[in-house]
Amino acid sequence: MSKPPAVPMPSRRRVLTSALAAAAQGAVATATLAGCTHDRVESAGSTRVPSASPPATSPVVANGNQALERLMVGNARFVAAQDQDLDEGIARRVAVSKGQHPFATVLGCVDSRVPIELVFDQGLGDLVVVRSAGGALDQSVTGSIEFGIAELHTPLLLVLGHQRCGALDATIKALDAGQRTSHTNSLDYLVDALAPAVRQVTGKPGDRLTNAVQANVALVLTKLRQSPVIGPLEKSGKLKLAGAYYELDTGKVILH
């Protein structure tokens, strides 16, 4: 008696993406999800979510606008739990082992709920990802970003803040209490790095933490433009800089 055919196991990427989407979306109906996807893709300059069939090779990205559109279309798939499950198989792993050609550099937070590649539904070798608490800049973070741009020639630099950022929330509490974090000098450094954004929005209407996150994205972009590597590339048109805000509740990335 012959054995029934083995059922293929879902990839780690699909399992992780589905779990994250379920946690963010709850019991939202399929029709609503489809509507959200349609809206996000249209805002990125397209009209529909691409086919779930993964391309043999990553599409060519010629400039920062195309790179940003590719990120936003990927995020639309993530929101709708229609990820392509692309570019993580053996063939892709072997291909990128010979060289890399990422199409974007993304600075994000270390928050475990904001895995950059999953949020944008991208695979091996697609993104240069730099993460620090709250997106705080120091010499190492800035140097890592400059490496992605100057050495790997990514035409897009995206700074991504997110909803309910713990680092900025801790900074707000520390400043309100008029004291340091009572932990380590390194954590105090983070408070000092993020404090300007908190001070900038103090007393303004709206949710203070959300305002601080968005202000910090803008301040980080301003600082990065002062880089002798990043600033000239943006002025020459070879690099696009953008800021965005990730909603933990919905999975959406909203451009500034």
Side-chain angles (χ1 to χ4, degrees):
M1 184 174 180
S2 61
K3 295 182 180 179
V7 178
M9 296 297 291
S11 71
R12 177 186 61 82
R13 178 185 178 82
R14 183 169 296 280
V15 171
L16 285 172
T17 305
S18 299
L20 282 164
Q25 299 291 338
V28 179
T30 302
T32 303
L33 288 173
C36 291
T37 304
H38 180 75
D39 292 341
R40 293 310 304 157
V41 175
E42 283 194 335
S43 70
S46 182
T47 57
R48 64 181 178 85
V49 175
S51 168
S53 300
T57 59
S58 297
V60 175
V61 172
N63 56 52
N65 288 329
Q66 291 179 5
L68 186 58
E69 179 177 353
R70 182 173 166 187
L71 286 182
M72 296 305 294
V73 171
N75 178 246
R77 292 192 300 266
F78 173 76
V79 171
Q82 294 179 347
D83 63 293
Q84 292 189 103
D85 200 19
L86 69 145
D87 288 350
E88 67 168 3
I90 294 175
R92 176 63 175 174
R93 189 172 69 225
V94 171
V96 297
S97 73
K98 310 302 181 184
Q100 56 177 320
H101 302 283
F103 71 89
T105 297
V106 181
L107 171 62
C109 183
V110 297
D111 195 298
S112 63
R113 301 166 295 178
V114 194
I116 305 299
E117 287 89 349
L118 291 183
V119 164
F120 290 109
D121 191 33
Q122 302 301 322
L124 290 173
D126 288 333
L127 303 178
V128 176
V129 175
V130 183
R131 299 176 70 171
S132 64
L137 291 180
D138 63 13
Q139 190 171 5
S140 177
V141 171
T142 301
S144 297
I145 294 170
E146 290 176 345
F147 178 82
I149 292 166
E151 297 298 324
L152 300 178
H153 308 293
T154 60
L156 173 68
L157 168 57
L158 179 71
V159 177
L160 182 66
H162 71 91
Q163 185 179 28
R164 294 191 287 274
C165 177
L168 276 155
D169 186 48
T171 301
I172 289 173
K173 292 174 180 175
L175 294 179
D176 285 351
Q179 61 185 24
R180 312 290 275 185
T181 60
S182 300
H183 292 292
T184 67
N185 290 335
S186 296
L187 288 175
D188 288 336
Y189 175 86
L190 284 175
V191 169
D192 291 340
L194 299 174
V198 174
R199 294 191 178 103
Q200 186 179 100
V201 302
T202 298
K204 293 187 177 181
D207 181 76
R208 189 179 178 194
L209 179 53
T210 299
N211 290 344
V213 171
Q214 295 177 341
N216 188 62
V217 169
L219 288 173
V220 167
L221 285 169
T222 297
K223 291 179 181 178
L224 289 174
R225 287 187 168 100
Q226 297 169 3
S227 158
V229 173
I230 297 171
L233 285 173
E234 184 186 27
K235 290 179 181 178
S236 69
K238 295 179 180 178
L239 174 67
K240 180 181 181 66
L241 269 65
Y245 180 82
Y246 175 70
E247 293 182 340
L248 293 175
D249 293 337
T250 66
K252 289 182 181 180
V253 171
I254 301 171
L255 296 176
H256 283 191

